[in-house]
Amino acid sequence: MRHSLLALGLVLGLGIAGPAPARDAAPGQPPLTALTKDSGTPMPAEQKRVHFDHAELHIAVKPATQSIAASATLTFSALEATDVLMVDLDRNLPVSAISVDGKPLPASAWSNPEGRLRIQLPQAVAKGGKVSATIAYGGKPHVAKMAPWDGGFVWSHTKDGQPWVGSAVEGEGCDLFWPCIDQPDGKPDLVDLYVNVPKPLVAPGNGVLVGVSDDGDTRTYHWRARHPTTYAISINVGPYKELTGEYRSRYGNTIPLQYWYLAGEDAQAQALFAEFPRMLDFFEAKIGPYPWGDEKMGVVETPYKGMEHQTINAYGNQYAKSGGGFDDLLQHEFAHEWFGNQMTNANWDDMWLHEGFATLMQPLYAQYLDGDATYYGWLDKLRTMVADRHPVVSGTPRTEEAVYEDARGGPGQDIYNKGALMLESLHRLIGEQAFYDSIRELVYGRPDPKPGNFQPQYRTSADFMRIVNQVTGKDYDWFFKVYLYQAALPRLDVQRRGDTLDLAWQAPGNLPFPMPVDVQVDDAVHTVAMTGNHGSLTVPAGALVTIDPHSKLLRDEPRFTEFRQWLKQQRKAAKP
C-alpha cells in the first residue's frame, strides 16, 4: 500500500521515510471535497439498500490533454425497496448524462454537490429487483502530487518521451476516477473495464484480457475481474513490452504470469519475472491457493513506487535491491493478493489485517530463502519502528485517513510493524499448525481451501480473535486486548533475588496478560508460566540468564525507546 512504503523505506534505507506529503490539489486543479478526500466515511442508508452486482467501465485515456472521457454502467440488486441510487464520484469529473435501465433521465434527476452522486429513480425498485444506471462523465481526473502517498492519476513520460500513465487511489478511493461505493466492503461482484488508448500504447488491467479492439488511431483493451477491491481497480498506460509464463501450482491448476515493462530493461525485467514462481510457491505453501489463479499473477511497471492493484500490482521500484535476496517491495504488494484482496477488512479500523500480515510475510520469506539471520534482522528492524502512540484498533468505524494520521489518533505505521510483530508473537505462542490454520480460516473462510471452493471474505479484528480461539480451543482474547486495543506495549519486570528469578508483566490498563516467558539458564531454556501476570524460576548462583532468548515476545524494552530518542535527536540536528 501507499503508506507501507514509508515502513519499507525505513527498513530498507530507500530514502522515502517521513510523513506522507500534503494532499492539497496540485497547482491548476480544483481541490477535492472533504468527502472525496476521505475514503470510508459512514455509508449512507441509500447505499446500504443495494448490492453491487456489476460495473461496466468505459474509460478513454487522453494523455495529450491529461483527461478522460468515460461512462459507467452500474447494476445493483435491491436488498430493500429503494427509489434512489447513490454512488461516490469526484464532483470535479462532471456528469453529462444519466440513464436508468436504458431510459435517459432529466438533469434535474441527479445532483453531486460534494462528491456523492444522488440519482432519483423514475420509479422505485422493489426488494429483490435489479436496476442499472449508465453515467456519462469525464474531464481531468485529480493528479497525484506524489503517488502512491496521495491519490490520483500520474501523467508521465518514458525516457524516449512516450506517454506513461498510472492511477493510484488507495487513500482517497475509487471515486477519483469511477463512480463506486467508496467503502472497503463496496466491491462489485464483477467489473468489465474497457480502456481506450492512443496507438501504439498498451493498457494492462485487472483480471483477464477478454479482447482488444482496433478503433483507428486508438485501441481498446477489455479486462474482466471478479470481486475486485474498489481502490485496486487501476489504469495503466504505456509503451509496454510483456513477459509471459506459467506457474504450475501445487493445487493442480496452472496460473498465467505476466509482467509489463518498459523497453531497454530486458535483463532486469527477466530477473524480476524469475522471482514470480518462487513467491507464488511460498505463499501457496504457507497460506493457501493463489486467490486469482483463473485470472493471472500480473505486475506492471509504473511511474510511481507501487500499489497492490488486484492481479496487476503496480511496480516502480526501478529494480532496486536491498541485499535481502528478493525484491522487498514487490513481495509486500503481492502479499496483498491474500491479505487485502481475497480477505478484505470490513472497515478501515481493521486495516492491520491487510498490513500486519503482509509485513510479516517479508521476514518469513527472508527466512525461507536465507535462514534465521535475515529473519531476525527483519524483525529487529521492524521493532525499531514501533511507535505505540495510539492503539492499532480503536473499536469504532474509521476512515482511511483517521487510521493513518497521528493527529487524528491513528496508529499509522504501527498497523504494519506492530501488527507484524504481534502476529509473530502469536505464532510462537500458539504454534505453527494453529497459526496457519487460523490464517486459512481468516483468508478463505474454510480450513481446506482449493481452487474454486472459496469466496472473498470481509473480516474484522473480532473475527480473527474468534477464529484463533476456535482453532486453538483456548481463550486468547487477553492477548489481543493488550496488543490491539492498547497503545502501550506490556512491560516485563525482572528481579533476581538470590537463587530466585521473579518475573512480572505490567500490562497497560492493568489488564491480565498471562504470556509465558522463556528463560535461558546457561545452556537450558525453561518456559515460565505467568499465572496472574507473575512467575518465578529457581536459578543457580552465578548462572548466565537470558530472558526471551529467541525473541518471541513483543514488549516494552528500554533499548528501543533510547534508539528512537537518538533518532529524534539526529533528525533535529540535521535540520538547517
Side-chain angles (χ1 to χ4, degrees), residues 170-186:
E170 181 262 317
E172 291 79 354
C174 47
D175 50 339
L176 283 190
F177 73 96
W178 67 280
C180 61
I181 295 178
D182 185 20
Q183 302 284 342
D185 59 353

Side-chain angles (χ1 to χ4, degrees), residues 12-322:
L12 306 174
L14 295 176
I16 57 175
R23 296 169 59 191
D24 296 329
Q29 66 177 333
L32 299 173
T33 66
L35 187 65
T36 299
K37 283 179 68 174
D38 217 354
S39 179
T41 54
M43 184 184 287
E46 293 88 342
Q47 289 184 345
K48 294 178 181 179
R49 295 175 193 162
V50 297
H51 174 78
F52 201 166
D53 298 329
H54 183 224
E56 181 181 310
L57 308 177
H58 295 259
I59 301 176
V61 180
K62 302 177 182 295
T65 57
Q66 297 189 359
S67 64
I68 62 173
S71 71
T73 298
L74 313 177
T75 303
F76 301 93
S77 296
L79 301 176
E80 56 184 276
T82 185
D83 60 355
V84 170
L85 287 180
M86 189 171 283
V87 293
D88 300 297
L89 178 66
D90 181 8
R91 69 174 181 183
N92 298 319
L93 294 174
V95 173
S96 58
I98 296 179
S99 62
V100 171
D101 295 331
K103 296 179 181 179
L105 295 182
S108 59
W110 75 81
S111 61
N112 189 21
E114 297 298 327
R116 185 158 279 159
L117 177 61
R118 186 182 191 278
I119 304 169
Q120 183 67 49
L121 298 177
Q123 58 188 30
V125 180
K127 180 179 180 180
K130 287 185 178 292
V131 61
S132 178
T134 298
I135 303 163
Y137 66 100
K140 292 180 176 290
H142 188 76
V143 176
K145 293 172 69 176
M146 191 179 292
W149 290 275
D150 67 324
F153 267 55
V154 177
W155 303 95
S156 185
H157 290 86
T158 60
K159 291 178 181 178
D160 60 356
Q162 297 186 71
W164 190 19
V165 184
S167 68
V169 298
E170 181 262 317
E172 291 79 354
C174 47
D175 50 339
L176 283 190
F177 73 96
W178 67 280
C180 61
I181 295 178
D182 185 20
Q183 302 284 342
D185 59 353
K187 299 181 187 184
D189 292 340
L190 185 70
V191 170
D192 281 286
L193 175 63
Y194 297 80
V195 184
N196 177 265
V197 297
K199 291 178 179 176
L201 301 178
V202 179
N206 306 89
V208 173
L209 182 63
V210 179
V212 182
S213 60
D214 209 319
D215 307 300
D217 293 335
T218 66
R219 59 169 65 103
T220 299
Y221 289 79
H222 175 194
W223 294 93
R224 178 172 292 157
R226 296 176 299 107
H227 305 289
T229 300
T230 52
Y231 68 78
I233 295 172
S234 65
I235 299 294
N236 307 281
V237 179
Y240 289 116
K241 299 177 69 175
E242 183 183 358
L243 290 172
T244 62
E246 291 183 339
Y247 169 75
R248 298 191 181 280
S249 167
R250 63 181 60 229
Y251 290 94
N253 57 321
T254 299
I255 301 170
L257 308 177
Q258 295 174 269
Y259 178 45
W260 288 268
Y261 67 99
L262 299 181
E265 302 172 348
D266 295 81
Q268 303 102 303
Q270 288 168 3
L272 186 73
F273 189 64
E275 294 189 37
F276 289 15
R278 186 171 58 178
M279 288 194 300
L280 261 169
D281 192 52
F282 168 81
F283 280 104
E284 289 209 321
K286 284 285 189 182
I287 311 302
Y290 177 61
W292 320 107
D294 57 348
E295 295 183 3
K296 68 178 182 297
M297 175 191 173
V299 178
V300 61
E301 189 174 0
T302 53
Y304 60 89
K305 200 73 178 178
M307 179 60 65
E308 72 279 14
H309 296 142
Q310 190 165 311
T311 73
I312 187 69
N313 276 304
Y315 175 81
N317 203 27
Q318 300 179 358
Y319 305 100
K321 291 292 184 183
S322 68

Side-chain angles (χ1 to χ4, degrees), residues 383 418 482-483 486-493 505-508 513 515 554-557:
R383 182 62 183 86
K418 187 174 182 178
V482 167
Y483 282 130
Q486 301 294 317
L489 287 172
R491 185 179 75 250
L492 182 64
D493 292 335
W505 282 113
Q506 299 295 326
F513 193 71
M515 174 74 86
L554 176 57
R555 56 194 171 106
D556 182 6
E557 297 180 73

Side-chain angles (χ1 to χ4, degrees), residues 383 385-392 406 410-411 413-414 417-418 482-483 486-490 554-557 560-561 564:
R383 182 62 183 86
M385 295 186 289
V386 175
D388 296 326
R389 286 190 291 269
H390 304 287
V392 172
D406 181 76
Q413 298 303 297
D414 276 0
N417 311 314
K418 187 174 182 178
V482 167
Y483 282 130
Q486 301 294 317
L489 287 172
L554 176 57
R555 56 194 171 106
D556 182 6
E557 297 180 73
F560 291 110
T561 303
R564 283 196 298 273

